[in-house]
Structures are given as structure tokens and as C-alpha cells.
Amino acid sequence: MEKIQTAIIGGGAAGLMLATSLKTSGKTVVFERGERVGKKLSATGNGQGNITNLAAEREEYFSFSGGAALSREIVARYNPQSLLSFFEHAGLLLQADERGRVYPAGRQASALTDALRFLAAKRGVELCVKSRVLDLEKQGQGFVLSVQTDENPARKIYAEKVVLCTGGTVARSFGTDGTAYALAQKFGHTLTPLYPSLVQLKADSKELRALKGIRVADAEVTALFSERAGGELHGRSIKVKGDIMFADYGVSGDSIFRLSAFLTHRIQDGVTISIDFLPEFEQAHIFAALQRKRETFPELATGELLCGFVNNQIARVVMKRANGDLRAAARSVKAFTLTVTGHLGLDLAQVTKGGIRMDEVDSDLQSKKQKGLYFAGEILDIDGQCGGYNLQWAYSSARTVAAAIDKEMEKARGQV
Ligand SMILES: Cc1cc2nc3c(=O)[nH]c(=O)nc-3n(C[C@H](O)[C@H](O)[C@H](O)COP(=O)(O)OP(=O)(O)OC[C@H]3O[C@@H](n4cnc5c(N)ncnc54)[C@H](O)[C@@H]3O)c2cc1C
């Protein structure tokens, strides 16, 4: 049976980062079930590759199983600056936008994959595509992997260390259908509840038919939801500024993706979003302008008075909601509420909320249940906000595991 030192299962963002980061001389192989590595990474940020966010160290990562503090520690240790210098050494130029989102200067996400592939090859790491790991068994000090390839339905490989970098259970067309959780469950690991994050939201309103297809740039959108603390529900709100798009099912767009990270697991407790279509104008100013317009153009139907302030369709819907009352219309155009009833599901989401429980891994992200088994990336119960936070986690977690394996291997070889 072929023997290797480290088997990295999953050739996505975390797996490739790990492949480039291990320093030990033992053989490392990445097993990727898809036809190429980094397929999802090459599609990130609308194909532009939003690799991190300069605020990643300051913002919260979410975890159901008590992993938020450890994720913060790990992201602080391998922080955005460390990631920037990593990619600069890999031959890329990176640029941040006004929201701290960092992209390769050429705005091509595939450049990130190419850089990682190139670095991995330079380090002598073997990248095996069309190689799906179907089973993992403990044998002696290591593990035996059963790998399905075109040529061999059950290729057996012995690895001293195994890292599960198989991602979550969203965007299944990228090979992340959730089946790989079983490789960890076999060793007694358990999953938190799983939800889609960074996803479109469903809303319940007859008005959506009239608004379908409209995109509003730079709306201010506030999510109002309840948070459980000490067994009780407490009201909380989060406000973001960005675009919002209306569809027959509900709403999407940058502002909604950002808010969804806080909401998808809370919908059953009641979630409302409130849209300010005119954040630059005070309500009193809008009311005065409406009054002036009615006096100047008495022949104009009341339903049309908001036209010219906002998109005409939105104007008519808001005025109808306000029953033609100008004060209510001025209020509603700054706080147009929709009740959130659901989301568009795992397939259309970008990130999995939930995963392998964080209280089942140690601070090196090694399994507490099976020595030699590690985790990196989205497979774990850590998810970040929209804007580069999730790739930062893939990087930081992969680096943590690489450092831990290097240390272990050095120790085992009596070098320390
Ligand atoms: C459309 C889209 C856009 C996104 N944009 C951004 C963005 O701009 N910024 C950001 O920070 N995040 C973004 N994300 C999220 C980010 O891509 C993920 O969080 C990140 O890729 C997770 O890295 P990972 O290595 O853990 O998993 P993945 O990158 O999902 O990789 C997992 C890999 O494991 C392979 N695999 C699974 N099971 C097996 C098996 N049994 N055997 C072998 N291989 C297996 C899969 O084929 C896959 O290639 C985006 C996600 C999507 C879907």
C-alpha cells in the first residue's frame, strides 16, 4: 500500500492553503473529488476573488458550539496582513476597496487558485483530482484512505496525518454536498444544526410582484430580530448599507447577503427587515417636499407624488401602503418593512452556518476524538460575514493545522 505523511482531503481554499504551508519533508497529497482543484475559490467574489477583509480581526465569527473565541484567536494569529504577505510572496498584487474587501489587482479569482496550485507544486505536493475519498479507517498510528478514481474504485493509501478540508454543504455544484461529514462522524464527531448563510431571503408580501426586478443601490437596510440569551429572547437590530434587489420570492443583493449571516437560524423567532430607500434625506424633509409637490401640482394623483423621489414602482407601492397619507408615506419610504419568512436554501447560499462541533477539536484544530485527524475551513462550525471573512477563515485555519502538523512531525522525528 502506498504510504504518505499527510493526506489533505478536499482541494478547495483551505486544502490548497494547507498544501502550500506544510514545511515538513514528508509526502503530502491533496485528494480532490472534482475535475480540478480550487473550483469554488475561482468563483468567489463574483469571479473577482474577495480573499479577505481588513476588518477580519475585529469582527465576530459565528459558532453554535462555542468556537467563536478560538476562531478569533486563530484569525488574529494568521491575520489579513499575514494573508496579504502570503499572496504577495506568491506573486500577486492585492488591492482593498472602501469596505476593506481585498481582491487580486487583476480582479480574477482564478489568479488565487493558480498561485496556490503553483506554490503547492513547487513544494512537491501531489494534487490528485477526480479522487474522492469515500472512507477513512484507523490503522496503527495512521489512517487508511479509500479513494475512488476513474481507474480504481478503491485505491488504498496509508497516511500518518489526515486533514479534512471538505467544506460545508452549500453550493453543491462545487463538490460540497455534505457527504464528507460522514468521514468525521465515523470517528464520533457530531454536527451542529446546519443553515445556509450569505443567501437570498424570502419575504411574505403581495407587493413583491410589483417590485420584482427593481434594484436599489445604496439603500440602508436594518434587520430586526430576536436573540436568545439566558433562555430569553432579546430584540436586536443590525444596519447595513448596500444594494437590494426585489424578486417575486423576496429580496437579494449585497445588503441582504450581508444581513443573512445574522438571520437564517433566527427566522422562526421572527425577523423583519426595514428598508430606508432615501438614507440621505430626513423624514421631515421628504414630508415637506411631498406637501410642496401636492400644492404645486394639485392635478397629480396622490399615488404618483413619490415618483421622482424613488423608483416609480417603489413610489406607488409605498404610497399605497400609506393610503395616500403624506406623513405616513414619508415614514414608510424610510422604513419599508418586510417580514422574512425563509431563505432560498443550501444550494444557492455561499457559506454553511454550522458544521463539525468546535468543542470536539483542540486549539490546533486537531480532533479530540482521534489523534492525527485535523480539520480546516468551512467543514467546522465557524462562519463569517460577507466580504472576505470566510476565505480568511479558510486561510487562518489551514495555517494553524500546518503549524501543528509540522510541530508533531518534528517531534516524532526527534528533531526537537
Ligand atoms: C459563489 C460563491 C462565492 C463566494 N465568494 C466568497 C468571497 O468572495 N469571499 C469569501 O471569503 N468567501 C466566499 N465564498 C465562501 C468561500 O468560498 C468558502 O467559505 C471557502 O471556499 C471554504 O473553503 P474550504 O476549503 O473549507 O471548502 P471549499 O472551498 O468548498 O472546498 C472543499 C473541497 O472539498 C472537495 N471535497 C468534498 N468532499 C470530498 C471528498 N470526499 N473527497 C475529496 N474531495 C472532496 C470539494 O470538491 C471541494 O473542492 C463564496 C462561496 C461561493 C459558493
Side-chain angles (χ1 to χ4, degrees), residues 9-15 31-34 40 43-45 49-51 131-133 165-168 171 174-176 180 183 349-351 376-379 387-392 394:
I9 307 181
F31 298 95
E32 166 54 49
R33 66 184 275 189
K40 189 188 283 178
T44 54
N50 174 199
I51 185 69
S131 300
R132 180 176 184 172
V133 178
C165 301
T166 44
F174 293 105
T176 40
L183 298 173
Q350 291 192 350
V351 172
E378 199 177 309
I379 185 173
Y389 298 90
N390 290 289
L391 287 175
Q392 176 67 48

Side-chain angles (χ1 to χ4, degrees), residues 136-208:
L136 204 53
E137 269 180 86
K138 186 74 190 141
Q139 194 177 95
Q141 294 299 304
F143 302 84
V144 174
L145 283 75
S146 295
V147 187
Q148 183 186 52
T149 65
D150 283 351
E151 299 77 39
N152 187 345
R155 182 181 163 201
K156 300 280 184 199
I157 291 139
Y158 177 86
E160 287 172 57
K161 308 278 181 203
V162 169
V163 192
L164 285 174
C165 301
T166 44
T169 185
V170 300
R172 288 151 197 243
S173 59
F174 293 105
T176 40
D177 57 8
T179 51
Y181 288 129
L183 298 173
Q185 285 168 318
K186 220 187 139 168
F187 293 96
H189 281 283
T190 54
L191 287 171
T192 66
L194 303 172
Y195 298 87
S197 184
L198 316 194
V199 67
Q200 303 87 341
L201 297 176
K202 288 186 186 172
D204 187 15
S205 165
K206 289 195 188 77
E207 295 150 331
L208 288 171

Side-chain angles (χ1 to χ4, degrees), residues 116-377:
L116 292 171
R117 267 194 313 127
F118 183 69
L119 266 187
K122 222 170 164 209
R123 286 191 178 274
V125 174
E126 198 181 324
L127 302 178
C128 293
V129 293
K130 295 200 215 168
S131 300
R132 180 176 184 172
V133 178
L134 291 179
D135 195 21
L136 204 53
E137 269 180 86
K138 186 74 190 141
Q139 194 177 95
Q141 294 299 304
F143 302 84
V144 174
L145 283 75
S146 295
V147 187
Q148 183 186 52
T149 65
D150 283 351
E151 299 77 39
N152 187 345
R155 182 181 163 201
K156 300 280 184 199
I157 291 139
Y158 177 86
E160 287 172 57
K161 308 278 181 203
V162 169
V163 192
L164 285 174
C165 301
T166 44
T169 185
V170 300
R172 288 151 197 243
S173 59
F174 293 105
T176 40
D177 57 8
T179 51
Y181 288 129
L183 298 173
Q185 285 168 318
K186 220 187 139 168
F187 293 96
H189 281 283
T190 54
L191 287 171
T192 66
L194 303 172
Y195 298 87
S197 184
L198 316 194
V199 67
Q200 303 87 341
L201 297 176
K202 288 186 186 172
D204 187 15
S205 165
K206 289 195 188 77
E207 295 150 331
L208 288 171
R209 227 173 296 144
L211 299 176
K212 182 181 168 182
I214 296 172
R215 172 177 175 269
V216 180
D218 284 334
E220 214 163 72
V221 188
T222 306
L224 304 138
F225 56 94
S226 306
E227 194 166 54
R228 273 180 203 281
E232 284 181 26
L233 286 175
H234 299 271
R236 209 184 140 191
S237 68
I238 292 188
K239 189 184 285 187
V240 300
K241 200 166 179 192
D243 66 353
I244 184 164
M245 283 181 303
F246 291 91
D248 45 9
Y249 61 78
V251 279
S252 72
D254 168 66
S255 62
I256 297 302
F257 268 55
R258 280 155 72 196
L259 288 174
S260 71
F262 299 87
L263 303 178
T264 50
H265 57 302
R266 296 181 161 130
I267 292 171
Q268 73 283 0
D269 292 328
V271 173
T272 304
I273 58 166
S274 171
I275 307 160
D276 183 346
F277 290 114
L278 290 170
E280 313 303 335
F281 296 88
E282 294 292 328
Q283 191 177 312
H285 184 88
I286 299 167
F287 175 57
L290 279 172
Q291 275 184 317
R292 214 170 32 247
K293 196 166 174 183
R294 186 161 60 184
E295 280 159 26
T296 318
F297 304 102
E299 67 283 10
L300 209 60
T302 309
E304 301 292 307
L305 282 175
L306 259 177
C307 295
F309 290 28
V310 288
N311 171 289
N312 287 356
Q313 280 300 93
I314 294 175
R316 292 183 190 115
V317 166
V318 169
M319 195 54 92
K320 199 167 168 196
R321 225 184 228 205
N323 278 326
D325 178 82
L326 299 196
R327 199 176 290 278
R331 197 167 43 240
S332 182
V333 82
K334 288 198 63 71
F336 187 83
T337 54
L338 289 171
T339 303
V340 175
T341 53
H343 47 68
L344 280 205
L346 295 168
D347 262 347
L348 292 175
Q350 291 192 350
V351 172
T352 312
K353 183 176 276 302
I356 297 294
R357 291 187 62 90
M358 285 296 286
D359 48 10
E360 295 174 356
V361 295
D362 66 15
S363 56
D364 288 331
L365 303 180
Q366 181 171 198
S367 165
K368 287 182 184 169
K369 296 181 180 285
Q370 182 56 67
K371 205 169 157 27
L373 179 65
Y374 296 78
F375 301 88

